[in-house]
Amino acid sequence: MKMKRGIDMTDDSNTKAAMILFGATGDLAKRKLYPALYNIYRNSQEFHDFAVIGAARRPWDHETYREHVYAAIQPFVAEGDDVGDFLDRFHYYSIDVNDIQSYLGLKDMAEQLDHQYHLNGNRLFYLAMAPSFFGTVTHNLNDSSLSKTNGWKRLVIEKPFGHDLTSAQQLNQEIRHVFAEEEIYRIDHYLGKEMIQNIQVLRFANPIFEYMWNNRYISNVQITTSEHVGVGERAGYYDKTGALMDMVQNHVLQMVALTAMEPPSRLDTEDIRDEKVKALRSIRPVNADNVHDHIVRAQYTSGTIDDQVVPGYRDEDGVSHTSTTDTYIAGKLYIDNFRWSGVPFYIRTGKRLAEKSTEIVVEFKDSPMTHDFKGSDIRPNLLVIHVQPDEGISLKLNAKKFSTSNETMPVTMDFSSHGLDEYRASDAYERLLYDCIRGDSTNFTRWDEVALSWEYVDSVIKAWNEVNLPVKEYEAGSMGPSEADQLLAKSGHKWWPLNQMN
Ligand code: NAP
C-alpha cells in the first residue's frame, strides 16, 4: 500500500471532491488556482473525479465561466491535450456571499454534482476572496447546511489571517465554529515552494548538516525575501499593512521556524508543526528597550530599477503623501533555547530592492586556523538555500589555489533543481492544492503558529509605537537603508550578496 504521512494514496475515494471556489472570477483564481488544478489533473493519476463550482457575484453562465477558465489554463495546455473533460467539470453559480438565501441554490448544485460525479459528499471550500468575508462565508455555510455533508469537508483560506492577534483570534473562533482545526488549511504559499519543502530534507536526511546545526558551529542565519516590484495595484491593502504584517508575520517567520526547529520525532504533520510552534515560542519578544537594536523599518524613495526611474512609495497611486507604512523591514531575532542561544537570525524583506530573491544563508563560524593562511582570502563557510528565483543549494568553501604554496580561494558547490531530468517547475499552489485534496495539512499553518507569529509582530509594533521608531528611507534600486547594514555590523556580521548561484 502506498502511504504518505498516513494517507492511503491508493484509496481514490478520498481524493474525489467538489471544490466550491468563492472568488471564482478574481485574480488569484485566474492566475494561480485554475492553472494549478489543470496541472494536477494532467499530471496525477489520483485527481480525475472532481467538480468545481465557481462562485462570485458576476451574472455569468457555465459557458462564460469555462471560457474564463480556459483562458487561464491555456498557456499550460500542450499541443494535442484534450481539455474538454477538464472544462466540463467547471460550473458557475452567481452569489452574493452576504445573502444566506442564495446558499440554498448553491447547496442544490453541490448535491447534484456530487451525485453526477460520485464524489462521496467530499467538499473543499476555497475562500479566494477578501478576508473580511471569511467569517460571513463560514457562518453561512453552516446555516445553509452546505458544510454539513456525509463526506469530508475542508476549508482553505488565504492570507492575511487577521491584522493582529486579537482579530486573528476572533476570525479563528468564527471559522472554528464550523470547521475543526484539522479541516482548516491556512495557506502560506511559501510553504509550497520546492526549496522551502527541501529544508527538512536537507537538515534531517543529511547528518553532516544537522550535527552542526547549532550555536557551537553556526555564527548567524540570514533570511531575505526581496522584491523588485513596488506596491503596484495593492496600495489600498498595503498602505494599511506594510512589510512587517504582509511578509514577516507569515512567510519570513515560517522560514525562521523551519530553519530553527528541532528534529520532529517523526516526519508527521502534527509532529512537525509541534516543533515549529516550539521554535516560534522561543523567539525573544521585542520591547521598547531593545527595539532600536533589533528592528529597522524603512520606506522607499524614488530611484532606478532595471534602467527605469520609479516613484517613491508616497508618490504611488493610492498611497497617502504622509504615509509612514514600512515597505522594508530588517530584524535581528534571537531564539532563546539551548540550540540557538547567542545566534542572531537576521531577517529582511522589502519592495523596490536591487535584487529579487528569497534566500536562507547559514553562516558557519570561522576555522580556528584562519589566521594561519596568511595573505589568503579565507571566507566563512556558507550554506545557501536558494528559494527563488533560482532553486537550489550552494555550499561556499575555501580551497587551495592552483600552483601556489598555501594560498586559498573561495569555491562554491552548487546543486540546482533545474539540472535534474525529472525536474518540472510546479507552482507552489499546485503542490498545496494537491495536498489539500489528499488531506495532507503539513504545509499549512496551524492556528498556534499563526497566533505566535502575531504575538511577535504585535510586540514589534507596540515597541515601535512606544519609542516612535523612525521610518528610515532607502532609494528604490538599492538593497535597503544603511541602518540595516549597521544592524549586522554591530555584531561583526554583514549581509551576504544574493543570487550568487553559479
Ligand atoms: P480579487 O481579484 O479582488 O477577487 C475577489 C473575488 O471575490 C472576485 O471573484 C469577486 O467576484 C468576489 N467577490 C467580491 N465580493 C463578493 C461578494 N459580496 N459575493 C461574492 N463574491 C464576491 O481578489 P484576489 O486578488 O483574487 O484575492 C483573493 C484572496 O487571495 C485575498 O484574500 C487575497 O489577500 C489573497 N491572495 C491573493 C493573491 C493574488 O495573487 N491575487 C496572492 C496571495 C493571496 P465578483 O466581483 O464577480 O463578485
Side-chain angles (χ1 to χ4, degrees):
M1 184 182 291
K2 208 169 138 203
M3 299 282 286
K4 184 183 178 250
R5 294 195 179 113
I7 299 158
D8 177 1
M9 310 229 322
T10 56
D11 180 1
D12 65 358
S13 62
N14 281 332
T15 56
K16 295 180 174 191
M19 177 172 173
I20 297 155
L21 173 58
F22 293 94
T25 58
D27 178 66
L28 181 74
K30 183 172 185 181
R31 282 194 311 111
K32 295 290 180 187
L33 303 183
Y34 301 134
L37 278 172
Y38 179 65
N39 284 326
I40 296 170
Y41 172 82
R42 196 180 55 178
N43 298 312
S44 98
Q45 302 299 317
E46 299 137 45
F47 183 59
H48 281 263
D49 294 312
F50 73 99
V52 176
I53 304 179
R57 284 172 305 184
R58 258 156 256 200
W60 286 359
D61 58 17
H62 300 319
E63 271 322 303
T64 313
Y65 182 45
R66 285 172 193 154
E67 281 163 21
H68 179 77
V69 174
Y70 180 65
I73 65 166
Q74 217 230 335
F76 305 90
V77 178
E79 211 172 311
D81 274 4
D82 180 5
V83 293
D85 173 63
F86 178 77
L87 290 174
D88 281 350
R89 291 166 182 272
F90 284 75
H91 305 261
Y92 187 77
Y93 186 83
S94 177
I95 187 173
D96 179 342
V97 293
N98 299 304
D99 173 20
I100 176 77
Q101 288 307 319
S102 56
Y103 286 73
L104 301 177
L106 185 57
K107 182 167 179 268
D108 288 345
M109 189 184 267
E111 279 168 4
Q112 186 240 310
L113 293 174
D114 182 35
H115 188 69
Q116 182 179 341
Y117 292 106
H118 312 289
L119 301 176
N120 299 337
N122 298 334
R123 287 184 191 159
L124 181 70
F125 300 98
Y126 199 123
L127 307 193
M129 53 192 316
S132 53
F133 291 114
F134 294 169
T136 308
V137 175
T138 44
H139 183 85
N140 287 342
L141 288 177
N142 187 49
D143 282 7
S144 64
S145 296
L146 194 55
S147 59
K148 293 172 189 150
T149 168
N150 52 6
W152 54 250
K153 67 177 193 297
R154 290 174 196 146
L155 177 74
V156 187
I157 40 180
E158 282 289 336
K159 76 164 197 183
F161 198 90
H163 52 84
D164 58 12
L165 179 58
T166 309
S167 58
Q169 277 168 332
Q170 199 178 341
L171 172 59
N172 199 48
Q173 267 168 17
E174 284 180 88
I175 59 178
R176 282 297 310 275
H177 188 61
V178 184
F179 292 88
E181 175 61 35
E182 58 274 17
E183 293 173 329
I184 302 169
Y185 289 66
R186 298 178 193 83
I187 287 224
D188 182 326
H189 72 275
Y190 271 54
L191 297 183
K193 291 184 185 290
E194 178 69 29
M195 294 312 298
I196 296 293
Q197 298 190 349
N198 215 332
I199 296 172
Q200 281 172 30
V201 179
L202 182 70
R203 288 188 53 189
F204 306 135
N206 296 294
I208 56 163
F209 295 125
E210 191 51 28
Y211 291 144
M212 300 183 75
W213 211 257
N214 55 52
N215 58 3
R216 206 166 153 206
Y217 301 105
I218 289 177
S219 150
N220 68 90
V221 177
Q222 303 181 8
I223 297 177
T224 301
T225 179
S226 58
E227 298 177 286
H228 266 332
V229 292
V231 70
E233 289 167 9
R234 296 173 71 216
Y237 160 76
Y238 195 87
D239 204 37
K240 290 193 226 90
T241 311
L244 181 70
M245 289 201 245
D246 189 44
M247 297 296 289
V248 176
Q249 188 274 334
N250 35 66
H251 313 315
V252 175
L253 287 180
Q254 282 294 320
M255 288 191 275
V256 170
L258 287 165
T259 310
M261 67 190 253
E262 295 296 316
S265 42
R266 285 168 308 167
L267 286 177
D268 269 356
T269 303
E270 298 312 328
D271 291 347
I272 292 169
R273 289 162 142 198
D274 287 347
E275 296 305 334
K276 284 167 68 189
V277 162
K278 285 186 214 160
L280 290 168
R281 192 174 285 131
S282 305
I283 296 176
R284 189 181 301 171
V286 173
N287 57 41
D289 293 333
N290 65 20
V291 67
H292 281 288
D293 291 332
H294 284 70
I295 300 290
V296 174
R297 63 197 288 227
Q299 196 181 72
Y300 62 82
T301 58
S302 66
T304 307
I305 295 220
D306 290 338
D307 299 328
Q308 300 263 323
V309 176
V310 295
Y313 178 70
R314 291 179 184 181
D315 294 324
E316 299 272 20
D317 285 345
V319 174
S320 151
H321 289 311
T322 55
S323 171
T324 55
T325 298
D326 42 289
T327 62
Y328 177 99
I329 290 287
K332 175 156 77 168
L333 276 68
Y334 281 104
I335 297 174
D336 288 329
N337 61 21
F338 280 94
R339 181 184 287 261
W340 294 115
S341 177
V343 179
F345 277 62
Y346 299 111
I347 57 168
R348 64 178 162 169
T349 180
K351 291 195 174 293
R352 286 284 190 232
L353 295 176
E355 298 281 352
K356 173 181 156 56
S357 178
T358 301
E359 274 188 15
I360 301 172
V361 179
V362 178
E363 178 179 334
F364 290 88
K365 288 186 173 169
D366 287 340
S367 154
M369 297 189 71
T370 298
H371 298 296
D372 289 335
F373 294 94
K374 287 195 183 66
S376 282
D377 181 15
I378 286 266
R379 302 200 186 161
N381 293 142
L382 304 179
L383 177 68
V384 186
I385 301 170
H386 305 270
V387 178
Q388 60 187 18
D390 295 324
E391 291 182 329
I393 299 162
S394 305
L395 188 58
K396 311 268 182 189
L397 305 168
N398 297 295
K400 186 181 159 302
K401 255 189 191 170
F402 297 109
S403 330
T404 59
S405 53
N406 220 6
E407 273 184 64
T408 68
M409 60 179 181
V411 294
T412 305
M413 289 165 67
D414 279 328
F415 154 70
S416 166
S417 309
H418 296 271
L420 300 177
D421 285 348
E422 68 272 27
Y423 180 76
R424 185 180 69 80
S426 56
D427 184 79
Y429 272 94
E430 185 181 330
R431 292 199 191 91
L432 293 176
L433 215 42
Y434 188 49
D435 283 351
C436 256
I437 291 160
R438 293 175 309 145
D440 182 352
S441 55
T442 313
N443 294 312
F444 297 81
T445 43
R446 201 169 67 185
W447 163 245
D448 42 3
E449 296 175 61
V450 176
L452 286 163
S453 302
W454 274 124
E455 259 178 42
Y456 173 76
V457 164
D458 284 358
S459 80
V460 174
I461 294 174
K462 182 166 175 283
W464 80 28
N465 284 337
E466 276 172 25
V467 303
N468 211 1
L469 192 76
V471 182
K472 303 291 179 187
E473 292 185 341
Y474 63 99
E475 198 179 317
S478 70
M479 268 319 282
S482 58
E483 287 79 2
D485 298 333
Q486 288 153 22
L487 190 75
L488 278 69
K490 279 184 217 158
S491 310
H493 301 141
K494 62 173 188 181
W495 294 108
W496 290 100
L498 301 166
N499 294 334
Q500 298 286 303
M501 204 167 182
N502 290 337

